Coordinates of all heavy atoms in Angstrom, one line a residue:
N139 N 96.3 88.7 126.0 CA 97.4 89.6 126.3 C 98.2 89.8 125.0 O 98.4 88.8 124.2 CB 98.3 89.0 127.4 CG 97.6 88.9 128.7 OD1 97.0 89.8 129.2 ND2 97.6 87.7 129.3
V140 N 98.7 91.0 124.8 CA 99.4 91.3 123.5 C 100.9 91.2 123.8 O 101.5 91.7 124.7 CB 99.1 92.7 123.1 CG1 99.8 93.1 121.8 CG2 97.6 92.9 122.9
G141 N 101.6 90.4 122.9 CA 103.0 90.3 123.0 C 103.7 91.4 122.2 O 103.1 92.2 121.5
S142 N 105.0 91.4 122.2 CA 105.8 92.4 121.5 C 105.8 92.1 120.0 O 105.5 90.9 119.5 CB 107.2 92.4 122.0 OG 107.9 91.2 121.8
V143 N 106.1 93.1 119.2 CA 106.0 92.9 117.7 C 107.0 91.8 117.3 O 108.2 91.8 117.7 CB 106.4 94.2 117.0 CG1 106.6 94.0 115.5 CG2 105.4 95.3 117.3
C144 N 106.5 90.9 116.5 CA 107.3 89.8 116.0 C 107.5 89.8 114.5 O 108.3 89.0 114.0 CB 106.7 88.4 116.5 SG 105.0 88.1 116.0
D145 N 106.8 90.7 113.8 CA 106.9 90.8 112.4 C 106.5 92.1 111.9 O 105.5 92.7 112.4 CB 106.1 89.7 111.7 CG 106.4 89.7 110.2 OD1 107.5 89.3 109.8 OD2 105.5 90.1 109.4
T146 N 107.4 92.7 111.0 CA 107.1 94.1 110.5 C 107.3 94.0 109.0 O 108.3 93.6 108.5 CB 108.0 95.1 111.1 OG1 107.8 95.2 112.5 CG2 107.7 96.5 110.5
V147 N 106.3 94.6 108.3 CA 106.5 94.8 106.8 C 106.4 96.3 106.6 O 105.6 97.0 107.2 CB 105.5 94.0 106.0 CG1 105.8 92.5 106.1 CG2 104.1 94.3 106.3
V148 N 107.2 96.8 105.7 CA 107.3 98.3 105.5 C 107.0 98.5 104.0 O 107.6 97.8 103.1 CB 108.7 98.9 105.8 CG1 108.6 100.4 105.6 CG2 109.1 98.5 107.2
H149 N 106.0 99.3 103.7 CA 105.7 99.6 102.3 C 106.8 100.3 101.6 O 107.3 101.3 102.2 CB 104.4 100.4 102.2 CG 103.2 99.5 102.5 ND1 101.9 99.9 102.2 CD2 103.0 98.3 103.1 CE1 101.0 99.0 102.5 NE2 101.7 98.0 103.1
P150 N 107.2 99.9 100.4 CA 108.3 100.6 99.7 C 108.1 102.1 99.5 O 107.0 102.5 99.2 CB 108.3 99.9 98.3 CG 107.7 98.5 98.6 CD 106.6 98.8 99.7
G151 N 109.1 102.8 99.8 CA 109.1 104.3 99.8 C 108.9 104.9 101.1 O 109.1 106.2 101.3
A152 N 108.6 104.1 102.1 CA 108.3 104.7 103.5 C 109.6 105.2 104.1 O 109.6 105.9 105.1 CB 107.6 103.7 104.4
E153 N 110.8 104.8 103.6 CA 112.1 105.2 104.1 C 112.2 106.7 104.1 O 113.0 107.3 104.7 CB 113.2 104.5 103.4 CG 113.3 104.8 101.9 CD 112.5 103.9 101.1 OE1 111.7 103.1 101.6 OE2 112.6 104.0 99.8
Y154 N 111.3 107.4 103.3 CA 111.3 108.8 103.2 C 111.1 109.5 104.5 O 111.7 110.5 104.8 CB 110.2 109.3 102.2 CG 110.1 110.8 102.1 CD1 111.0 111.5 101.2 CD2 109.2 111.5 102.8 CE1 110.9 112.9 101.1 CE2 109.1 112.9 102.7 CZ 109.9 113.6 101.8 OH 109.9 114.9 101.7
V155 N 110.4 108.8 105.4 CA 110.1 109.4 106.7 C 111.4 109.5 107.5 O 111.7 110.6 108.1 CB 109.1 108.5 107.5 CG1 108.9 109.0 108.9 CG2 107.8 108.6 106.8
D156 N 112.2 108.5 107.5 CA 113.5 108.6 108.3 C 114.5 109.5 107.6 O 115.3 110.1 108.2 CB 114.1 107.2 108.4 CG 113.2 106.3 109.3 OD1 112.6 106.8 110.2 OD2 113.1 105.1 109.1
Q157 N 114.5 109.5 106.2 CA 115.5 110.3 105.5 C 115.2 111.8 105.5 O 116.1 112.6 105.7 CB 115.5 109.8 104.1 CG 116.0 108.4 103.9 CD 115.8 107.9 102.5 OE1 115.2 108.5 101.6 NE2 116.3 106.7 102.2
A158 N 113.9 112.2 105.4 CA 113.5 113.6 105.2 C 112.9 114.2 106.5 O 112.8 115.4 106.6 CB 112.6 113.8 104.0
N159 N 112.4 113.3 107.4 CA 111.8 113.8 108.6 C 110.7 114.9 108.3 O 110.7 116.0 108.8 CB 112.8 114.4 109.6 CG 112.2 114.6 111.0 OD1 111.3 113.9 111.4 ND2 112.7 115.6 111.7

Side-chain angles (χ1 to χ4, degrees):
N139 298 310
V140 182
S142 58
V143 171
C144 56
D145 185 69
T146 299
V147 293
V148 184
H149 286 198
E153 61 274 6
Y154 179 81
V155 173
D156 293 327
Q157 295 170 355
N159 193 29

